[in-house]
Amino acid sequence: MRRSLTALACLAAGSAALATAVPAATARPADPVGPLRQLDVSAVGARAEQALRAAPGLVRLSSGEDLVATKAVGERSGASHVRMDRTYRGLPVLGGDLVAHLGADGAVDSVSQTLKAPVSISTTPGISAAKARTATRATPPAGVSLDKAAPTLAVDATDGTPRLVWDVRSSGVRASGTPSRLHTWVDATTGRVVGEADEIHEADGSGASLYSGTVTIQTTQSGSTFQLKDTTRGSSQVTDMANKTDSAFCTVAGIGCSAGTLFTDADNVWGNGTNANRQSAAVDAAYGQARTWDYFKNAHGRNGIWNTGKGSPSRVHYGSNYVNAFWDGKQMTYGDGDGTSFGPLVSLDVAGHEMSHGVTENSANLTYSKESGGLNESTSDIFGSMVEFSANNASDPGDYLIGEEFDLAKGLGFRRMDNPSSDGKSVNCWSSSVANLDVHYSSGVGNHFFYLLAEGSGAKTIGGVAHSSTTCNGSTVTGIGRDAAAKIWYRALTVYMTSSTNYSGARAATIKAAGDLYGASSTQAATVAAAWDAVSVK
């Protein structure tokens, strides 16, 4: 799933020494719960479903509903958290997923869920699949067209009220050059288009990189040559797309996609820091892969995107004059920019942003539309920035600007988290209209919240860049420090958020996560609530 770093319109629409002092917690010490560990979902899932059936007051299921465990993580205390998808009479229930929180004794303590009532609707459509296709004919953006595959039925519960919908799929290449695998949901009774989401989430030895200076990168020797493959981080590798794009079949089905050509070198000294050498952008991508892997491992105990130790490929030099980067569910892909306003989109924060889309997809799997889509984008901006801070690279100091390194014209990047509305399209404050915005603009609410939680309100210089943040309610917020803020967001994402979590749900999830980590009466938990108040989220 990816996110749009398509120039300013799409992204807005894209150091340790400077760490803020952390107020002392008023309860438990930081991180008493410890890192989460991956569990065997087949064993834990069966116990979780049995426990839920034994506690019907927590999850009310109709006779046609079933739960399928998809992921499970455990606490060192023996407690566990099991993610489960829901079906109704064999149909997937969009927004019906939940997280069952089990104590060490195996009993269900609580459940995180958006859908709280049993599903009880007719599964007989009032309109045909053909009419559903007709209803969406004018919906896809330029370059994206309806697939030949017949629409399928599903239950849409993303807004809390279940309804039968046709899932109409479209695919192609958007005008920006980004592939698209779009799902459009049509009410199976009225024929009205009620929602959509894209599977593609955009952005976004020794090596001389474009943006991070000369860096050490892990490579693999094969005979007399060296490969840009990091066996210490799940065999992550970087390949050259030779300015080609994915085939139509790849775009439609997501299979048979080009892997590109693995970068190799004779002397294990890569790139020269300029675009004239094709290895330079690859060095940035490899460096970004490694720093993102290390950030999630060291800060959150996560072993790669999937938390299984498996690495993720990166493809550079995608397309011609392609001002974008994206995550497609299995790999990162970076364009070279247009060479005038934007350089190659391989900066450290964008690498962190794209890989964080993978973390989101493999945890809460926030639907890429409405408020959950804004939260999806916020999550990637948050962790992309945290990767930049954690790398502590003098050539690219940490800040809260996204993509400033490859912004050749202004040096400001696509977005900024201290004042999202400065781009003219993102929003600083929540309102009922936020759900109607493009997810790249609605992400401003989450970005603003995180900045206030981490750094507080007012003016300051971070990473050599002037930052200044005001609040929507006129309050003054004192930040708790970015590391504590990120721990809270990560735990909320991986333990409490579900696919349809909105901003109000994110408030509840982060307050709960702060209580787990620092105590319900701690300064951290109180500041989480104050920061949400400051962006008008109740």
Side-chain angles (χ1 to χ4, degrees):
M1 312 281 276
R2 352 175 182 182
R3 89 138 192 61
S4 178
L5 279 178
T6 318
L8 179 62
C10 199
L11 230 196
S15 111
L18 295 172
T20 302
V22 181
T26 57
R28 294 172 288 174
D31 199 16
V33 293
L36 300 169
R37 68 185 190 284
Q38 203 78 4
L39 301 177
D40 181 357
V41 70
S42 60
V44 180
R47 294 199 300 270
E49 183 173 2
Q50 186 177 30
L52 283 173
R53 299 283 183 185
L58 293 175
V59 179
R60 299 176 59 200
L61 301 172
S62 64
S63 59
E65 291 181 81
D66 288 305
L67 297 173
V68 179
T70 58
K71 297 179 181 68
V73 293
E75 311 270 12
R76 63 187 176 198
S77 66
S80 59
H81 311 278
V82 184
R83 291 190 174 274
M84 311 183 85
D85 286 342
R86 186 188 313 241
T87 63
Y88 177 67
R89 296 182 181 175
L91 301 179
V93 180
L94 311 174
D97 56 307
L98 55 86
V99 188
H101 308 291
L102 282 66
D105 60 357
V108 180
D109 292 334
S110 61
V111 177
S112 297
Q113 58 188 331
T114 303
L115 180 60
K116 298 181 180 179
V119 178
S120 181
I121 62 173
S122 170
T123 55
T124 301
I127 64 168
S128 66
K131 287 187 176 180
R133 284 175 59 85
T134 300
T136 63
R137 205 160 272 165
T139 301
V144 180
S145 57
L146 296 177
D147 290 352
K148 293 181 180 179
T152 56
L153 288 171
V155 177
D156 176 18
T158 56
D159 290 332
T161 302
R163 59 185 160 196
L164 188 68
V165 296
W166 285 106
D167 181 359
V168 185
R169 282 154 290 179
S170 308
S171 60
V173 179
R174 294 174 182 260
S176 65
T178 304
S180 174
R181 294 197 290 270
L182 184 68
H183 293 257
T184 302
W185 297 302
V186 179
D187 190 307
T189 299
T190 67
R192 183 172 62 91
V193 174
V194 294
E196 65 176 32
D198 206 316
E199 291 183 23
I200 305 300
H201 292 186
E202 302 173 71
D204 302 74
S206 174
S209 69
L210 296 175
Y211 307 123
S212 296
T214 299
V215 295
T216 299
I217 53 177
Q218 293 293 322
T219 61
T220 299
Q221 187 169 3
S222 177
S224 60
T225 63
F226 295 87
Q227 301 173 336
L228 204 50
K229 178 188 294 185
D230 186 350
T231 58
T232 68
R233 297 177 178 85
S235 291
S236 298
Q237 62 183 29
V238 182
T239 64
D240 188 350
M241 283 295 288
N243 300 108
K244 298 177 181 177
T245 59
D246 289 325
S247 66
F249 185 69
C250 165
T251 302
V252 172
I255 56 177
C257 302
S258 173
T261 302
L262 179 64
F263 278 94
T264 59
D265 187 79
D267 61 5
N268 209 23
V269 178
W270 303 77
N272 65 3
T274 74
N275 284 327
N277 188 316
R278 297 184 72 81
Q279 290 184 355
S280 298
V283 170
D284 283 273
Y287 179 68
Q289 271 183 341
R291 297 289 75 77
T292 303
W293 178 289
D294 291 351
Y295 168 72
F296 279 105
K297 181 73 172 178
N298 296 334
H300 306 297
R302 189 177 188 89
N303 194 18
I305 287 175
W306 292 271
N307 204 18
T308 61
K310 174 185 174 183
S312 49
S314 290
R315 306 184 301 174
V316 299
H317 302 306
Y318 180 90
S320 179
N321 296 322
Y322 182 57
V323 187
N324 218 324
F326 60 80
W327 162 261
D328 65 8
K330 65 178 182 180
Q331 62 196 354
M332 288 75 68
T333 301
Y334 304 93
D336 284 339
D338 58 16
T340 302
S341 296
F342 300 98
L345 281 77
V346 289
S347 64
L348 188 55
D349 54 358
V350 172
H353 177 108
E354 298 308 334
M355 293 178 73
S356 295
H357 273 306
V359 173
T360 297
E361 181 180 349
N362 288 279
S363 54
N365 197 23
L366 290 158
T367 301
Y368 206 59
S369 63
K370 301 179 181 178
E371 291 190 22
S372 59
L375 285 165
N376 192 317
E377 279 298 308
S378 294
T379 298
S380 282
D381 282 352
I382 287 166
F383 290 129
S385 296
M386 290 302 300
V387 167
E388 192 176 74
F389 279 114
S390 68
N392 195 24
N393 185 304
S395 297
D396 184 11
D399 54 42
Y400 291 92
L401 277 62
I402 310 298
E404 75 282 359
E405 291 293 326
F406 54 77
D407 183 352
L408 305 179
K410 299 180 179 179
L412 296 175
F414 292 129
R415 286 198 292 237
R416 58 184 307 146
M417 298 173 68
D418 59 327
N419 183 20
S421 65
S422 62
D423 62 32
K425 294 186 177 180
S426 296
V427 292
N428 285 7
C429 311
W430 183 89
S431 71
S432 59
S433 64
V434 162
N436 301 323
L437 297 176
D438 182 285
V439 296
H440 308 100
Y441 303 141
S442 63
S443 65
V445 177
N447 285 352
H448 193 197
F449 158 79
F450 184 85
Y451 179 86
L452 289 170
L453 178 64
E455 305 290 349
S457 54
K460 59 186 66 180
T461 299
I462 303 172
V465 177
H467 291 63
S468 184
S469 192
T470 58
T471 61
C472 305
N473 62 354
S475 65
T476 298
V477 176
T478 300
I480 63 172
R482 63 183 68 101
D483 291 339
K487 284 180 181 291
I488 291 168
W489 191 274
Y490 179 82
R491 184 167 177 83
L493 175 76
T494 55
V495 174
Y496 296 114
M497 292 186 192
T498 63
S499 64
S500 293
T501 295
N502 58 14
Y503 275 115
S504 177
R507 176 188 173 112
T510 49
I511 290 175
K512 174 64 174 170
D516 293 344
L517 292 168
Y518 303 105
S521 300
S522 65
T523 297
Q524 289 86 348
T527 307
V528 169
W532 282 122
D533 288 343
V535 296
S536 303
V537 174
K538 300 295 185 180

